Amino acid sequence: MKDKKERPYHHGNLRAALVEAATGLIEERGPGGFTLREVTRRARVSQAAPYRHFRDRDDLLAAVVEQGFLGLSKVMSEVAASTHSPAERFRRCGAAYVTYALERTAHFQVMFRMEPDPEKHPAARAAADAAFGQLVGVVAACQESGVLPGRNARVVALIAWSLVHGIAHLAIGKQFQFKTRAEVLRFAGVATDALLEGLRVGNRPAK
Amino acid sequence: MKDKKERPYHHGNLRAALVEAATGLIEERGPGGFTLREVTRRARVSQAAPYRHFRDRDDLLAAVVEQGFLGLSKVMSEVAASTHSPAERFRRCGAAYVTYALERTAHFQVMFRMEPDPEKHPAARAAADAAFGQLVGVVAACQESGVLPGRNARVVALIAWSLVHGIAHLAIGKQFQFKTRAEVLRFAGVATDALLEGLRVGNRPAK
DNA sequence: TGTACATCAGTGAACGCGCGTTCACTGATGTAC
DNA sequence: TGTACATCAGTGAACGCGCGTTCACTGATGTAC
């Protein structure tokens, strides 16, 4: 293999390195801090180099988004495998979602900012859909085991996603007065349980 | 008064005009499309003019955010006054929130992007707090009339806010497959009812 | 095994652009006497 | 009512900057024979 000291002309895996550098940059400077030039500086590469691997700025950003959703999927599937109780799995998935958002704030924001039009970047879109698919699976399992009534799993998953996403987004935006991550997670638990209870009862509007 | 045709040297109410132009610009070009220079072009004023009224770019943007929250407060208080049933008020407030977000997409996004640090712009912060106050009031009314159990109204309001905010944010980000605004609102209604039901039952976790 | 050559993945300089902000200025307004 | 003057709210030109992207190029790699 190559000597690590002398940098070879060919990078080896510049594409991945650029995505990684971009992610780090976003995490450090916030969602708006992303520029192609700063990414190339971090990857120690000329400013024209990314164009070998990405069509343009947005194309690289879309790859960052894709990675974000892949990571989210991974975290959620790990968590889902950690228990056999469907209701508990539901709760843990919610907690994992919020945790992911709080741990990788800026990355999370970029994922949902859709500044690169998601329709033009099918890989990013697909990764997002896969993450949502995890959630639908968890809901379906709750339904099969009778913890939730057997209504449209997608709609139920969408409701749960909305709640947990709202918590994540508001927490990131400092709209809550919570001081620690643990407090946010405890709150998320209470909220998730309330929703689960309501979904369980069925969907009669309260008078 | 002045002849409308010949533009007077003094504008009259440039501050308000700039905020309005900025809002229009954001609505047209998206949350990232805001630039001071484009705002001055739209207000037909020199590019140095805003500095008479705003410290810098972020200061103007904060005024836009403030206006956004004032508008949201207004909409919610109007809606709250439209019925005497506390539960119905709860639902209508949720619908109003989502509607506001869908009608003024980009403006809504800017409000929660906190790109001007909210701590440095107390007026914006205060307007946001006032909007949340509306919601707390609605929840408290539900509790007083026995529709909801009398727990911490702020926490309950936070849960409701999270749900409705998540719906708004995901809908804006095209994460739902809904095609019309009416579909989103119907979905929001179902979600709100489920949550209300769960909150009503109390907060025992489901087994 | 050796060589010619196509292809790939980088470099480095340059482009044009729009941005936020500052500066010395000037026109309009309001007030004191 | 008239005038001097301070203050306010604009103008217009200029600054320096970092950005995304293009271009002709060159070094490294892989393959055919």
Side-chain angles (χ1 to χ4, degrees):
Chain A
M1 285 247 79
K2 306 151 191 149
D3 184 354
K4 279 175 192 166
K5 279 314 185 191
E6 34 176 286
R7 319 197 74 262
Y9 191 91
H10 284 263
H11 181 284
N13 197 358
L14 184 54
R15 194 192 141 94
L18 288 170
V19 173
E20 194 186 344
T23 306
L25 169 60
I26 286 165
E27 215 51 70
E28 259 178 54
R29 306 247 182 110
F34 171 78
T35 66
L36 221 34
R37 287 178 103 114
E38 180 60 26
V39 168
T40 60
R41 262 171 240 130
R42 290 182 172 225
R44 300 183 174 286
V45 112
S46 85
Q47 57 213 18
Y51 290 90
R52 291 291 143 204
H53 301 274
F54 299 97
R55 199 175 343 99
D56 55 20
R57 185 199 120 101
D58 274 2
D59 202 33
L60 171 50
L61 196 50
V64 172
V65 170
E66 185 196 357
Q67 279 305 313
F69 278 112
L70 291 178
L72 182 58
S73 274
K74 189 160 161 254
V75 164
M76 294 217 308
S77 77
E78 281 167 8
V79 141
S82 72
T83 175
H84 288 302
S85 154
E88 181 58 23
R89 203 180 292 173
F90 185 88
R91 270 183 230 112
R92 289 193 193 172
C93 268
Y97 191 96
V98 174
T99 301
Y100 190 84
L102 295 180
E103 262 171 9
R104 324 190 44 171
T105 314
H107 196 175
F108 182 81
Q109 286 175 91
V110 168
M111 286 160 62
F112 289 96
R113 230 165 235 222
M114 42 157 275
E115 220 107 86
D117 182 348
E119 308 311 325
K120 286 181 190 152
H121 302 274
R125 180 93 244 169
D129 289 346
F132 177 60
Q134 295 279 344
L135 229 183
V136 176
V138 170
V139 168
C142 285
Q143 292 178 323
E144 276 158 30
S145 71
V147 174
L148 283 178
R151 291 182 299 115
N152 186 335
R154 286 189 68 86
V155 169
V156 173
L158 243 26
I159 296 177
W161 187 18
S162 296
L163 177 63
V164 123
H165 185 81
I167 292 172
H169 195 228
L170 291 177
I172 285 174
K174 307 224 172 74
Q175 303 288 344
F176 300 151
Q177 75 282 45
F178 302 133
K179 282 172 213 77
T180 65
R181 187 175 300 176
E183 279 183 278
V184 176
L185 284 173
R186 190 148 10 102
F187 168 74
V190 171
T192 313
D193 283 338
L195 180 64
L196 193 53
E197 194 60 37
L199 290 168
R200 193 194 232 305
V201 171
N203 254 355
R204 300 280 165 59
K207 221 190 13 244
Chain B
M1 285 245 74
K2 305 152 190 151
D3 184 354
K4 279 175 190 167
K5 278 315 185 189
E6 33 177 284
R7 317 197 76 262
Y9 192 90
H10 284 263
H11 182 284
N13 197 358
L14 183 54
R15 194 192 141 93
L18 288 170
V19 174
E20 193 186 343
T23 306
L25 170 57
I26 287 166
E27 215 51 69
E28 260 179 53
R29 305 248 181 112
F34 170 79
T35 66
L36 221 35
R37 286 178 103 113
E38 181 59 26
V39 168
T40 60
R41 262 171 241 131
R42 290 182 173 225
R44 299 181 176 286
V45 111
S46 84
Q47 56 213 19
Y51 291 90
R52 292 292 143 202
H53 301 273
F54 300 97
R55 198 173 347 95
D56 55 19
R57 185 200 120 102
D58 274 1
D59 202 33
L60 171 50
L61 196 48
V64 172
V65 169
E66 185 196 357
Q67 278 306 313
F69 278 110
L70 291 177
L72 183 57
S73 274
K74 188 160 163 254
V75 164
M76 294 216 308
S77 77
E78 282 167 9
V79 140
S82 71
T83 175
H84 288 301
S85 154
E88 180 59 22
R89 204 180 291 172
F90 186 88
R91 268 182 232 114
R92 288 192 194 174
C93 267
Y97 191 96
V98 174
T99 302
Y100 190 84
L102 295 180
E103 262 171 9
R104 324 191 44 172
T105 314
H107 196 176
F108 182 81
Q109 286 175 92
V110 167
M111 287 160 62
F112 289 96
R113 227 165 236 219
M114 39 158 282
E115 220 109 83
D117 182 349
E119 308 311 324
K120 287 181 190 151
H121 301 275
R125 179 93 243 168
D129 290 346
F132 177 59
Q134 293 280 341
L135 227 183
V136 176
V138 170
V139 168
C142 285
Q143 294 179 323
E144 275 158 33
S145 72
V147 173
L148 283 178
R151 293 182 297 115
N152 186 332
R154 286 188 67 86
V155 170
V156 173
L158 243 27
I159 297 177
W161 188 17
S162 296
L163 177 63
V164 124
H165 185 81
I167 293 171
H169 195 228
L170 292 176
I172 285 173
K174 306 224 174 76
Q175 302 288 345
F176 300 150
Q177 75 283 43
F178 301 133
K179 282 172 212 78
T180 65
R181 185 174 301 175
E183 278 182 278
V184 176
L185 284 173
R186 191 147 11 103
F187 168 73
V190 171
T192 312
D193 283 338
L195 180 64
L196 192 54
E197 193 59 37
L199 290 169
R200 190 194 234 305
V201 170
N203 253 358
R204 299 280 164 61
K207 219 190 16 245

